[in-house]
């Protein structure tokens, strides 16, 4: 029970950090299989009104994982600056500065060669788009 309370407290702290993100990408790194994805998913429950886009870079194509529709790493594209990724976001959301609050969760970023290279470019997008990256 103590572990659950601590985890909930930390998920609440993560949700607060996500709320205050502006023009930044939140990166959560840690050892494999320690619960990074579950941790983020618990925090995202604090944002029921936000649009959410999920990408899992371990998968090459779209897939449903635990009842959630994920795009594969192909959604991210092959551009080091993330241009293809941004085009795909605009295709799904329309003009990004008019999309409302959007949370983009990119899981397993270490499995895609350009995901981390694009961080600086993504941080320059409108502040209503918040990025959360996880990886080992």
């Amino acid at each position: 029970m103590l572990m659950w309370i601590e985890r909930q407290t930390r998920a609440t702290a993560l949700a607060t950090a996500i709320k205050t993100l502006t023009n930044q990408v939140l990166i959560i790194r840690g050892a494999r299989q320690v619960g990074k994805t579950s941790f983020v998913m618990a925090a995202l429950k604090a944002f029921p009104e936000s649009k959410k886009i999920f990408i899992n870079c371990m998968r090459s194509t779209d897939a449903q994982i635990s009842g959630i529709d994920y795009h594969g790493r192909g959604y991210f594209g092959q551009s080091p600056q993330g241009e293809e990724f941004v085009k795909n976001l605009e295709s799904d959301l329309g003009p990004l500065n008019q999309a409302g609050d959007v949370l983009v969760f990119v899981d397993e970023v270490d499995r895609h060669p350009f995901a981390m290279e694009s961080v600086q470019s993504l941080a320059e997008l409108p502040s209503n788009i918040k990025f959360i990256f996880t990886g080992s």
Side-chain angles (χ1 to χ4, degrees):
M1 186 72 168
L2 263 174
M3 219 166 125
W4 175 251
I5 292 170
E6 183 174 320
R7 188 174 185 121
Q8 279 302 107
T9 301
R10 290 179 184 201
T12 301
L14 177 59
T16 300
I18 292 168
K19 285 178 189 173
T20 61
L21 273 180
T22 55
N23 298 80
Q24 297 173 352
V25 178
L26 179 65
I27 301 171
I28 300 171
R29 308 254 349 228
R32 299 201 57 72
Q33 300 295 313
V34 296
K36 296 177 297 292
T37 300
S38 298
F39 181 53
V40 170
M41 296 304 280
L44 291 181
K45 290 178 182 176
F47 303 92
E49 302 299 319
S50 295
K51 297 173 192 162
K52 297 175 187 74
I53 293 181
F54 300 93
I55 297 120
N56 186 309
C57 292
M58 187 169 14
R59 303 195 179 268
S60 59
T61 59
D62 296 356
Q64 192 172 76
I65 305 169
S66 300
I68 296 172
D69 292 324
Y70 280 83
H71 294 288
R73 66 180 162 267
Y75 188 87
F76 208 98
Q78 293 299 317
S79 167
Q81 298 302 316
E83 291 98 341
E84 291 174 66
F85 183 40
V86 172
K87 285 180 185 176
N88 285 329
L89 289 172
E90 289 172 334
S91 177
D92 282 351
L93 301 167
L96 296 182
N97 62 347
Q98 299 172 18
D101 292 332
V102 179
L103 297 170
V104 180
F105 176 36
V106 184
D107 200 11
E108 303 287 352
V109 296
D110 51 305
R111 301 297 182 113
H112 191 290
F114 298 122
M116 292 303 289
E117 290 183 39
S118 69
V119 168
Q120 187 171 355
S121 297
L122 297 176
E124 294 171 0
L125 292 176
S127 62
N128 59 308
I129 312 290
K130 299 174 190 253
F131 294 91
I132 302 122
F133 282 19
T134 62
S136 300

